[in-house]
Amino acid sequence: MTSNSFRPNRRQVLLAGSAAIGVAALGSSGLAGAAGAGTGRISEPFQLGIASGDPLPDGVVLWTRLAPEPLTEDGFGGMPDQIVPVQWQVATDERFTDVVAEGTEQAERASAHSVHAEVSGLRPGAEYFYRFRAGSELSPIGRTKTAPAPGSKLDRFSFAFASCQNYVAGQYTAYQHMAEEDLDLVAFLGDYIYEGGDAGSIGRPHVPAHEIMNLADYRTRLGQYKADPSLQAAHAAFPWAVVFDDHEVENNWAGDLSQPDTEPDQDPAVFRERRAQAFQAYYEHMPLRRAQRPSGPDIRIHRRLTFGDLVDVHLLDTRQYRDDQEVPPEQVADPERTLLGAEQRKWLLDNLSGQTARWNVLAQQVFFSQRDFTAGDADSFSNDAWDNYPAERNLLRDRMAGVSNPVVITGDVHANYAADIKADFNDPASATVGVELVGTSITSGGNGSDQNPSDSVQLQENPHIKFINRKRGYVRSTITHDSWTADYRVVDQVTAPGGSLSDRATFTIQAGKPGLIQG
């Protein structure tokens, strides 16, 4: 599936669609004809870039949002209160001499003039290029791929996963490097934005300069993040599959419960309204299908993507259905406590009990493996992670023992980890039933360090954890029929531009032999 034919660098992405490579082709295709008919001129509406996502064998979803002034306080991005027709094209080449699909979507004020075009009728396992037009304005050109046909034999699949991109904490240098990779997919595991109003110390203050609480605020904050050119480059280079964690709404929320504080959303009804507005803005800014369109405070974000006979990706939601994490210690082991919710848990267990691909990925947000922070006989665990829901974690872990090559990928903790998933985390000699790969943040936490002093305690108390590193970056995985190779790619700095990329560690998993092999 992977091809080296086109890997756009940042300059190519930003200049794509300009007169040099696009206008003549647009005219010859017929797209130039009625574009924007009856619409007043909107200058430079594609400030937030373009994206594609959730590839299927016959198509992808294409995304953009018209926002010539992304940071306006009203959240409408400088757009007039009118419906704007936005045309899109898909071609087999970046010059659009072979257009294979095209259409028009109506960008409306009620959806912040966002566009979600669900393209079908494409060839499976194929590379395509896409672009948009609003009036006389052309978007950049993006590159995407469809998934291989169901059950088709796939020799190789390459993807990266990332999380936690606090805008004020650093430059998105990792995305500059990621855009140069040769990938079939990017999985984003949560914390696409941060909700606070902090300014940071590197000249990238949050807009608005307060904690975001309403729809206009969430739209403006998402617009600020989406305007970053390095993030745009990574979106334009590959299809993405996205899920949220907590900061897309509020730090450490759980189900209908806000983080304990003095804000009005301590009332669950108020929090549900806040959640509804956050989900609406999130959908407006992500390459998601109509099946993921929110209904008030509810959104079905869990779903499965399949890539031939090689990889199934189960995208999970560990926020929306979780029980309260703030419970007394004696309640933690309650077998009824849930992180996934009954419906999502059944969906996942049913999927894992049926026909699956060679490798089965659980793409989720919070640390899955047991992680004891305290030396000696005493134990201490994070209440935000699966350790606070051990009965459900153990149920899922036990199911993994019968699944073909399960791998959990995780974000949230702003550090790289690699861990064996044990049949009994308290018995190092017990069977290894799977692997967890935890990716560091893109920027959250600043430059980071190789390790913290306390990491030696974690490694000693949790022998199933094989690796910890606290620099910034992403994890690139290359999967074949026989093996999974995970490269932990880190940048040396994010608080200033120009950070260099290196591989901090590489782990291999052999098919049919659960467990990590370093090097």
Side-chain angles (χ1 to χ4, degrees):
M1 182 177 178
T2 303
S3 168
N4 287 306
S5 64
F6 182 77
R7 294 199 299 273
N9 61 34
R10 175 176 167 183
R11 181 177 182 276
Q12 286 173 311
V13 169
L14 293 177
L15 293 182
S18 68
I21 60 175
V23 172
L26 270 172
S28 64
S29 73
L31 188 60
T39 301
R41 177 173 174 79
I42 302 168
S43 179
E44 299 184 355
F46 297 106
Q47 297 294 311
L48 304 185
I50 59 174
S52 68
D54 279 22
L56 299 177
D58 71 336
V60 297
V61 57
L62 306 180
W63 172 90
T64 193
R65 178 192 166 201
L66 307 182
E69 301 174 33
L71 302 186
T72 58
E73 291 184 2
D74 63 8
F76 290 116
M79 287 294 294
D81 184 4
Q82 63 187 55
I83 296 174
V84 180
V86 179
Q87 296 186 313
W88 53 266
Q89 280 187 324
V90 176
T92 61
D93 65 302
E94 61 263 48
R95 289 189 170 274
F96 288 77
T97 59
D98 181 27
V99 173
V100 295
E102 56 190 334
T104 300
E105 304 294 325
Q106 304 299 321
E108 301 181 2
R109 189 174 178 85
S111 298
H113 289 94
S114 60
V115 172
H116 299 77
E118 295 189 23
V119 183
S120 60
L122 304 181
R123 291 183 296 108
E127 178 182 76
Y128 290 98
F129 301 87
Y130 65 95
R131 62 184 173 188
F132 298 90
R133 178 170 185 151
S136 60
E137 298 283 342
L138 305 179
S139 77
I141 289 172
R143 167 186 175 270
T144 192
K145 292 183 176 181
T146 53
S152 61
K153 293 189 179 301
L154 189 62
D155 294 331
R156 180 177 181 270
F157 181 80
S158 181
F159 80 103
F161 65 90
S163 64
C164 304
Q165 53 186 37
N166 192 345
Y167 187 87
V168 306
Q171 305 288 330
Y172 291 166
T173 309
Y175 284 132
Q176 286 182 306
H177 295 291
M178 184 189 289
E180 299 291 337
E181 297 273 14
D182 184 13
L183 304 174
D184 301 307
L185 184 76
V186 173
F188 190 85
L189 303 181
D191 293 344
Y192 196 95
I193 61 169
Y194 281 68
E195 81 284 10
D198 47 322
S201 60
I202 62 168
R204 284 164 64 94
H206 269 143
V207 178
H210 56 258
E211 182 169 348
I212 53 178
M213 301 289 289
N214 57 47
L215 181 56
D217 284 352
Y218 281 107
R219 284 170 168 168
T220 301
R221 181 65 55 82
L222 278 155
Q224 180 182 31
Y225 277 56
K226 298 289 287 191
D228 184 274
S230 298
L231 177 57
Q232 288 186 18
H235 269 298
F238 321 108
W240 284 41
V242 301
V243 286
F244 52 75
D245 192 17
D246 55 337
H247 289 289
E248 287 88 350
V249 181
E250 182 190 41
N251 181 54
N252 282 353
W253 64 280
D256 289 344
L257 301 175
S258 168
Q259 174 182 243
D261 52 33
T262 60
E263 296 169 352
D265 62 3
Q266 293 302 289
D267 179 346
V270 175
F271 178 70
R272 283 176 63 83
E273 178 58 29
R274 179 181 182 182
R275 198 175 86 185
Q277 296 187 48
F279 284 171
Q280 174 66 23
Y282 180 79
Y283 175 79
E284 290 169 352
H285 289 81
M286 297 296 136
L288 292 168
R289 295 181 178 274
R290 284 185 289 274
Q292 278 63 63
R293 183 191 295 272
S295 175
D298 303 311
I299 182 173
R300 182 184 168 116
I301 203 72
H302 61 277
R303 58 206 192 276
R304 179 167 73 170
L305 298 175
T306 296
F307 299 89
D309 68 344
L310 193 60
V311 182
D312 278 343
V313 180
H314 300 83
L315 295 145
L316 304 184
D317 175 354
T318 60
R319 284 289 162 194
Q320 192 174 180
Y321 313 111
R322 71 160 65 188
D323 288 331
D324 188 2
Q325 59 207 39
E326 304 289 343
V327 297
E330 61 269 19
Q331 294 184 21
V332 168
D334 182 347
E336 298 301 316
R337 279 176 59 72
T338 181
L339 194 67
L340 297 175
E343 187 277 333
Q344 182 181 198
R345 181 177 63 243
K346 182 180 186 302
W347 167 85
L348 177 60
L349 294 177
D350 287 349
N351 279 347
L352 296 178
S353 298
Q355 183 175 358
T356 63
R358 176 76 165 172
W359 297 88
N360 285 273
V361 182
L362 277 63
Q364 53 98 56
Q365 295 74 40
V366 295
F367 213 97
F368 183 84
S369 302
Q370 183 168 293
R371 188 169 51 138
D372 178 9
F373 296 100
T374 302
D377 293 336
D379 295 331
S380 62
F381 305 106
S382 168
N383 69 353
D384 191 48
W386 282 89
D387 278 329
N388 201 21
Y389 305 81
E392 188 171 59
R393 190 261 308 280
N394 294 346
L395 173 68
L396 184 53
R397 178 201 60 195
D398 293 346
R399 180 61 57 88
M400 287 183 193
V403 174
S404 175
N405 300 306
V407 178
V408 177
I409 62 173
T410 301
D412 181 62
V413 295
H414 308 172
N416 289 310
Y417 284 78
D420 288 338
I421 299 173
K422 306 298 288 185
D424 180 353
F425 284 114
N426 293 316
D427 180 6
S430 67
T432 298
V433 300
V435 163
E436 181 174 17
L437 306 174
V438 182
T440 187
S441 63
I442 291 292
T443 61
S444 301
N447 289 330
S449 60
D450 197 59
Q451 283 193 344
N452 286 348
S454 61
D455 291 341
S456 60
V457 173
Q458 287 192 54
L459 292 168
Q460 179 179 354
E461 292 297 307
N462 307 278
H464 52 278
I465 295 177
K466 308 300 182 182
F467 170 69
I468 306 175
N469 170 264
R470 298 184 181 276
K471 299 296 285 185
R472 307 297 160 229
Y474 56 93
V475 180
R476 179 186 63 192
S477 291
T478 303
I479 305 170
T480 68
H481 185 270
D482 297 322
S483 66
W484 175 314
T485 301
D487 298 313
Y488 286 80
R489 315 212 76 191
V490 299
V491 292
D492 60 348
Q493 63 172 347
V494 296
T495 55
S500 61
L501 184 74
S502 62
D503 287 341
R504 177 59 182 80
T506 296
F507 288 89
T508 300
I509 312 161
Q510 296 295 328
K513 300 177 180 179
L516 292 159
I517 303 170
Q518 187 165 9

